[in-house]
Amino acid sequence: MFNTKLVIAYKGTNYCGFQVQNKSNNPTIQHYLNGALTKIFGEEITTHMASRTDAGVHANGQVVNFKHLKDRLPEPQRLIMAINANLPKDIRVLEAEKVSLDFHSRYNAKGKLYSYTIDNHIAQRPLTKEFTWHVPQPLQLENIKKGAKYFLGTHDFTSFRGSGATTKTTVRTITDFQVLEENRYIKFLIEGNGFLYNMVRIIAGTLIEVGKGKIKAEEIPRIIEVKDRKKAGPTAPPQGLILEKIYY
Amino acid sequence: MFNTKLVIAYKGTNYCGFQVQNKSNNPTIQHYLNGALTKIFGEEITTHMASRTDAGVHANGQVVNFKHLKDRLPEPQRLIMAINANLPKDIRVLEAEKVSLDFHSRYNAKGKLYSYTIDNHIAQRPLTKEFTWHVPQPLQLENIKKGAKYFLGTHDFTSFRGSGATTKTTVRTITDFQVLEENRYIKFLIEGNGFLYNMVRIIAGTLIEVGKGKIKAEEIPRIIEVKDRKKAGPTAPPQGLILEKIYY
């Protein structure tokens, strides 16, 4: 038995998220990945992902691992090319590596880096339309930056968890939060030990309310404290979100 | 009679170039633009473009102008929104401005800025696939930079003109040529007083041959001199090309 780790990138626009959906035929990233690997290895392959990304969410550095009986990794570069030849062009394997049998892409992850990008031009730029949330209203960047700082550290993020979530623990640690601005694009870079369902998108939606002046930056500690989803801002749309990196 | 100038951006992926093709029903940017303006102004509108972009080529700063009998520009912001509401989402008007009757987007243009981007990763990155030329081979960046310098200045660019071109003069001036590299993306920023048909793409294709070592940087002056398209490199594919800006 062998265990292989892959780093993959995908454009999520045309997929119903990463995870295979048992009761539907919706196209998912995992469906295509399992299919390509099963074909190449000649045995039934099931991938385990580091992070479940939702419909429309993208990845530059998703990580998966899978167990297999045949050793196909003496030439990782050829394995990558073989898998990519069997995947749609908007899903690409970037790296392949043999790992110990006890490695699990999700359980061993020490941290994750997400980006979320807002297009603040009056008219949404066509070339970045599929990777940004268009917010044409004027935004107070300094207030957004002030608000972002309150998320740093260890908190119970119940107020920032989407409905339908099933995880028992709601405490997470945000280790870094950068707010960048260039040519009317605002980019959040959020790094943490883990994220609740929709957490990054609800944080982004809340900070845009701060930018519009509808929520004060100083109210964020209280919004965290009350553990009530209704007190936070709206869930920002999926297409602005990119899973950038998984740390081990 | 009035004359209005528009700055527009578009993702060219799903279009057969900018210009309306008289003998076909292929979708073009100009077709949709003329249609939206004709509807809004209530009179037949024909736009004049600064630069004809080919099928699959993008723009962040194309400029058009059009004559009209009705004055619709007292509120430019509302005009922009009205036009955009009648355009596909991958074509956007960014700016609108009343100009003098003798202004012509093409004849008055003093210069143009194009970018061309190459993805030099082993596996093409899905998120930038529609805006880059994938060249997975190792490239000698220093040689590409050296080669780019030879294009600066005023030259007869016959060797870098695509077949089927009809312009009489083949002398053009390149005023600036930047070669940028970041995270395995190579970006050319080429500014000139004008460009022949396919000229930027043939220059990009030639410089990638230089990067691969198939053409020496020092051979470029000779390739220019012989005025023979066959001596230059291949025409780089359209999707890497973006019309960034028109200077007046």
Side-chain angles (χ1 to χ4, degrees):
Chain A
M1 177 83 85
F2 300 91
N3 192 11
T4 293
K5 172 190 168 194
L6 303 177
V7 178
I8 66 172
Y10 46 85
K11 179 180 168 184
T13 313
N14 299 320
Y15 297 94
C16 296
F18 186 88
Q19 195 172 30
V20 165
Q21 300 170 338
N22 286 327
K23 292 179 184 162
S24 81
N25 285 317
N26 290 335
T28 67
I29 318 287
Q30 196 184 24
H31 167 79
Y32 286 99
L33 198 58
N34 289 351
L37 292 167
T38 296
K39 186 176 164 195
I40 289 166
F41 281 80
E43 55 182 298
E44 192 69 25
I45 301 284
T46 302
T47 51
H48 305 281
M49 72 229 151
S51 192
R52 190 184 66 173
T53 56
D54 274 333
V57 173
H58 317 289
N60 281 322
Q62 171 74 282
V63 174
V64 302
N65 76 291
F66 59 95
K67 305 282 174 73
H68 49 105
L69 297 168
K70 292 173 198 146
D71 186 8
R72 288 293 305 256
L73 208 69
E75 298 161 276
Q77 218 47 57
R78 282 190 59 192
L79 175 64
I80 291 173
M81 286 170 68
I83 305 171
N84 283 339
N86 285 282
L87 284 173
K89 294 262 188 198
D90 48 9
I91 307 173
R92 292 288 95 173
V93 176
L94 309 180
E95 297 170 31
E97 187 190 349
K98 200 181 286 187
V99 286
S100 65
L101 275 176
D102 60 355
F103 174 86
H104 189 286
S105 57
R106 187 159 66 256
Y107 306 140
N108 290 56
K110 288 206 166 59
K112 295 172 185 174
L113 174 66
Y114 278 94
S115 71
Y116 195 97
T117 308
I118 290 107
D119 180 352
N120 191 220
H121 289 94
I122 298 288
Q124 186 171 26
R125 290 303 187 262
L127 293 187
T128 50
K129 186 171 66 76
E130 292 178 302
F131 318 110
T132 58
W133 177 23
H134 185 219
V135 181
Q137 295 90 337
L139 296 173
Q140 294 297 321
L141 188 68
E142 287 314 308
N143 290 344
I144 292 174
K145 286 183 175 173
K146 199 189 289 177
K149 291 213 178 85
Y150 290 110
F151 290 103
L152 285 168
T154 302
H155 306 282
D156 183 325
F157 281 101
T158 298
S159 295
F160 296 86
R161 180 171 69 158
S163 61
T166 52
T167 43
K168 282 170 192 165
T169 62
T170 47
V171 174
R172 296 290 184 276
T173 301
I174 305 284
T175 48
D176 194 37
F177 198 142
Q178 305 282 335
V179 179
L180 310 174
E181 199 272 343
E182 195 185 339
N183 183 29
R184 296 192 76 85
Y185 290 98
I186 298 169
K187 188 179 200 171
F188 301 140
L189 284 169
I190 313 183
E191 192 186 279
N193 69 343
F195 294 90
L196 302 173
Y197 181 60
N198 277 352
M199 181 170 148
V200 178
R201 289 165 57 189
I202 300 171
I203 289 175
T206 303
L207 284 175
I208 291 308
E209 294 291 278
V210 170
K212 289 177 179 172
K214 293 185 182 172
I215 293 176
K216 285 201 179 77
E218 296 77 10
E219 292 175 47
I220 287 174
R222 176 78 187 145
I223 294 172
I224 296 174
E225 203 182 307
V226 295
K227 302 189 186 76
D228 179 359
R229 170 68 190 92
K230 291 191 288 295
K231 301 298 185 210
T235 306
Q239 78 277 2
L241 187 62
I242 302 177
L243 172 58
E244 297 284 358
K245 208 171 160 63
I246 309 286
Y247 300 101
Y248 293 96
Chain B
M1 178 84 86
F2 299 92
N3 193 11
T4 293
K5 173 190 169 194
L6 303 177
V7 178
I8 66 172
Y10 45 86
K11 178 179 169 183
T13 312
N14 298 320
Y15 296 94
C16 296
F18 186 88
Q19 195 171 31
V20 165
Q21 300 171 340
N22 286 327
K23 291 178 186 165
S24 81
N25 285 318
N26 289 335
T28 68
I29 317 287
Q30 197 183 24
H31 167 78
Y32 286 100
L33 199 57
N34 290 351
L37 292 168
T38 296
K39 186 175 164 196
I40 289 166
F41 281 79
E43 54 183 297
E44 191 69 26
I45 300 284
T46 303
T47 51
H48 305 282
M49 71 229 151
S51 192
R52 192 184 63 174
T53 55
D54 274 333
V57 172
H58 317 289
N60 282 322
Q62 171 75 283
V63 175
V64 303
N65 75 290
F66 59 95
K67 305 281 175 72
H68 49 104
L69 297 168
K70 291 174 198 145
D71 187 7
R72 289 295 304 256
L73 208 69
E75 298 160 276
Q77 217 49 55
R78 282 190 60 191
L79 177 65
I80 292 173
M81 285 170 69
I83 306 171
N84 283 339
N86 286 282
L87 285 173
K89 294 261 189 201
D90 48 9
I91 308 174
R92 292 287 97 173
V93 175
L94 309 180
E95 297 171 29
E97 187 190 350
K98 200 181 285 185
V99 287
S100 65
L101 275 176
D102 61 353
F103 174 86
H104 189 289
S105 57
R106 184 159 69 257
Y107 305 140
N108 290 57
K110 289 206 165 61
K112 294 170 187 177
L113 173 66
Y114 279 94
S115 70
Y116 195 96
T117 307
I118 291 107
D119 181 353
N120 191 220
H121 288 95
I122 298 289
Q124 186 171 25
R125 290 304 186 263
L127 293 188
T128 51
K129 186 171 66 76
E130 292 178 301
F131 318 108
T132 57
W133 178 23
H134 185 219
V135 181
Q137 295 91 338
L139 297 172
Q140 293 297 320
L141 189 68
E142 287 315 307
N143 291 343
I144 292 174
K145 286 183 175 175
K146 199 189 289 179
K149 291 214 176 80
Y150 290 110
F151 290 103
L152 284 169
T154 303
H155 306 282
D156 184 325
F157 281 101
T158 298
S159 294
F160 296 87
R161 181 171 68 158
S163 62
T166 52
T167 42
K168 283 168 189 164
T169 62
T170 48
V171 175
R172 295 290 185 276
T173 302
I174 305 285
T175 48
D176 194 38
F177 198 142
Q178 305 284 332
V179 178
L180 311 175
E181 199 271 346
E182 196 186 338
N183 183 28
R184 297 191 76 85
Y185 289 97
I186 298 170
K187 188 178 199 171
F188 301 140
L189 284 169
I190 313 183
E191 191 186 278
N193 69 343
F195 294 91
L196 302 173
Y197 181 60
N198 276 353
M199 180 168 148
V200 178
R201 289 165 56 188
I202 300 170
I203 289 175
T206 303
L207 285 175
I208 292 308
E209 294 292 278
V210 170
K212 289 176 178 172
K214 294 186 181 172
I215 293 176
K216 286 202 178 77
E218 297 76 11
E219 292 175 47
I220 286 174
R222 176 80 187 140
I223 294 172
I224 295 173
E225 205 181 307
V226 295
K227 300 189 188 76
D228 180 357
R229 171 68 189 90
K230 292 191 287 294
K231 301 298 184 208
T235 307
Q239 77 277 4
L241 187 62
I242 302 177
L243 172 58
E244 297 284 357
K245 208 171 160 63
I246 309 286
Y247 300 101
Y248 291 96

